[in-house]
Amino acid sequence: MTSTQHPRAAIILAAGQGTRMKSPLPKVLHPVGGRAMLDHAIDAAEALGCERIVVVVGAHSPAVRDHVVKRLGGDAIAVQDPPLGTGHAVRAAEAVLGDFVGQVVVTYGDVPLLTAADLAPVFAANDGVTVIGFEAADPGAYGRLVMDGDQLAAITEAKEASPEVLALTTCNSGVMAAPVGLLFDLLREVRNDNAKGEYYLTDVVELARTHGAPTRVVMAAEDAVMGVNSQAELAVAEALFQTARRATFLAEGVTMPAPDTVHFAFDTEVGGGTLIEPYVVFGPGAKIASGARIRAFSHIEGARVAAGAEVGPYARLRPGADLGEGAKVGNFVEVKNVAMGPGAKANHLAYLGDGEVGPKANIGAGVIFCNYDGFFKHRTTVGEGAFIGSNSALVAPVSIGAGAMVGSGSVIVADVAPGDLALARGGQSFKPGWATRFMETMRAKKAAKAK
């Protein structure tokens, strides 16, 4: 039979304490590509078509539990308490899976680069135990896969291996799949008579062979099965993720003169023909249309940039920023939750928060949308073709009509009708000769002090 004839489930182990991370944030919630490692594991399970996903958490980490409940619901939680090894952790999921019948794969919440494509081969057969292996550049402390022809004979931990087994370079990723009934039947036979007194998932392989069940290995790239246990390993995983994303966008026609300096999130969308200059960072939720230009040292998160629009250099687009075709956000401009119509411009030193800027409107240098009164956010609307003079403050809620103008240095607290000019600044006065007299007096004082 093929795997397509059987339902699929995933058990994701996320109960480890992650002490080597030395961080108050639980290990599996550390991000890679702007997304928690645990979410990458859940994404892969969902992409596999798993109709049931169970995440095994520890009693020590309510933050992980809350994270899973928010995404998958409380029915996806199994608790391992106390922690007694990987086999014990998988058994904690048995009751949660209930009457599920089909194949189940065991994965890990700290293996963020493993994709559905890497996992799919474990479901090719449904009559035994299948393990994902990899060829290790430095096998070190990895468990070795000992083969018997095309069957997996055993998984031997490095500390228990003979010199002959240590010479093997095919290693265990920890990922395993089997029919759900077979897996839990075998786990009930696993014993903890080892140095750690723990129940090891790897013991399932030899038990399966004693019962005549096939034991197979499918291979994946070493990078794909990389586990993260420290901040240094997290940085390596991030670098691998970024390298893959850059290669994808380059292949799709995105121009990046210095790709190693550009950082993407897991869900960044960039159309071919877009230019991304050096040192640009994309947070989650960025969507860049074909033909846009993202200039150097800009940060874009939760924002949409249309074709022909230009961002930066040194610009920040926050969630809700929406730039229409040909719009321009320039040097040191921050935009949050503002839609800018086609051809609208804010070229210098502005803050636009909560509102709308009409097509071809011009926002001068130093303009601020005063959107927060200390308790609530309010909206500012700038009409089509309006001109907001430099160093003006628009105190929301306020509306500037189409074709209206605001004189430089104004503080606008009331709506401006279309086509009107609004001025809100003190009158300019003159004191003839005052500057000359002041300069002469101060020069004299300075000269006297120097004697």
Side-chain angles (χ1 to χ4, degrees):
M1 294 184 180
T2 63
S3 62
T4 56
Q5 296 173 284
H6 293 265
R8 296 173 176 181
I11 299 171
I12 302 173
L13 304 188
Q17 298 192 29
T19 54
R20 280 187 281 168
M21 297 298 288
K22 298 182 179 179
S23 168
L25 182 68
K27 177 175 69 171
V28 297
L29 299 187
H30 280 75
V32 170
R35 188 161 180 78
M37 292 193 289
L38 177 56
D39 281 321
H40 283 285
I42 295 172
D43 290 344
E46 289 181 339
L48 273 172
C50 293
E51 63 179 54
R52 295 292 307 277
I53 300 174
V54 179
V55 181
V56 181
V57 303
H60 58 85
S61 185
V64 175
R65 182 190 184 105
D66 292 346
H67 187 92
V68 176
V69 170
K70 184 176 180 180
R71 176 160 181 187
L72 298 176
D75 292 342
I77 292 288
V79 179
Q80 183 191 25
D81 185 27
L84 297 175
T86 51
H88 179 260
V90 174
R91 286 201 65 184
E94 184 174 7
V96 179
L97 281 174
D99 59 358
F100 173 81
V101 177
Q103 292 177 280
V104 61
V105 61
V106 178
T107 68
Y108 299 83
D110 60 358
V111 183
L113 305 181
L114 192 65
T115 67
D118 298 314
L119 289 167
V122 301
F123 291 126
N126 53 56
D127 57 348
V129 174
T130 302
V131 170
I132 291 183
F134 65 98
E135 286 294 329
D138 179 12
Y142 290 119
R144 306 302 204 273
L145 300 184
V146 181
M147 302 300 295
D148 179 10
D150 62 353
Q151 294 283 298
L152 177 60
I155 301 174
T156 304
E157 297 301 324
K159 60 182 177 294
E160 300 171 358
S162 66
E164 293 77 16
V165 171
L166 285 175
L168 300 174
T169 58
T170 305
C171 297
N172 177 37
S173 71
V175 178
M176 178 183 294
V180 66
L182 174 63
L183 179 62
F184 287 119
D185 285 347
L186 295 173
L187 281 171
R188 278 187 279 274
E189 297 184 29
V190 172
R191 299 291 176 258
N192 66 340
D193 50 353
N194 52 63
K196 290 187 175 182
E198 294 184 349
Y199 299 89
Y200 294 136
L201 179 62
T202 51
D203 289 351
V204 161
V205 171
E206 291 187 73
L207 288 169
R209 286 174 63 82
T210 65
H211 286 275
T215 52
R216 303 178 177 90
V217 174
V218 296
M219 300 298 289
E222 183 173 8
D223 289 346
V225 296
M226 174 191 175
V228 172
N229 294 294
S230 66
Q231 297 291 347
E233 290 174 350
L234 181 67
V236 171
E238 182 70 34
L240 290 169
F241 173 88
Q242 293 298 336
T243 296
R245 293 291 280 163
R246 292 164 188 152
T248 296
F249 285 125
L250 288 168
E252 292 174 352
V254 176
T255 300
M256 289 185 279
D260 288 352
T261 69
V262 179
H263 289 258
F264 296 100
F266 71 101
D267 61 350
T268 306
E269 297 178 16
V270 185
T274 296
L275 169 64
I276 304 176
E277 294 183 0
Y279 299 102
V280 172
V281 175
F282 294 96
K287 297 182 179 182
I288 315 300
S290 299
R293 183 180 185 186
I294 311 301
R295 303 197 62 190
F297 295 99
S298 294
H299 187 284
I300 302 174
E301 179 177 0
R304 188 187 74 88
V305 179
E310 184 173 334
V311 178
Y314 295 97
R316 184 182 182 195
L317 301 187
R318 292 170 56 193
D322 190 345
L323 275 57
E325 291 189 10
K328 171 69 185 297
V329 169
N331 306 344
F332 304 104
V333 175
E334 179 179 350
V335 182
K336 189 271 290 187
N337 195 29
V338 170
M340 298 184 67
K345 296 180 180 180
N347 283 324
H348 323 280
L349 302 162
Y351 171 68
L352 313 181
D354 298 302
E356 182 177 349
V357 177
K360 297 184 179 180
N362 188 88
I363 307 297
V367 170
I368 298 172
F369 285 11
C370 304
N371 58 329
Y372 184 51
D373 63 8
F375 297 93
F376 303 103
K377 298 290 181 70
H378 303 280
R379 290 179 60 80
T380 297
T381 301
V382 176
E384 181 174 359
F387 183 94
I388 311 300
S390 297
N391 202 36
S392 294
L394 308 183
V395 182
V398 70
S399 178
I400 312 300
M405 299 183 70
V406 171
S408 297
S410 295
V411 178
I412 303 299
V413 297
D415 291 351
V416 179
D420 281 5
L421 168 65
L423 296 169
R425 59 190 183 214
Q428 185 168 319
S429 62
F430 301 91
K431 296 184 178 180
W434 187 92
T436 299
R437 294 192 298 273
F438 174 78
M439 294 292 185
E440 290 175 349
T441 299
M442 298 309 292
R443 290 190 187 102
K445 288 183 177 179
K446 186 173 182 179
K449 188 174 181 180
K451 291 182 179 179

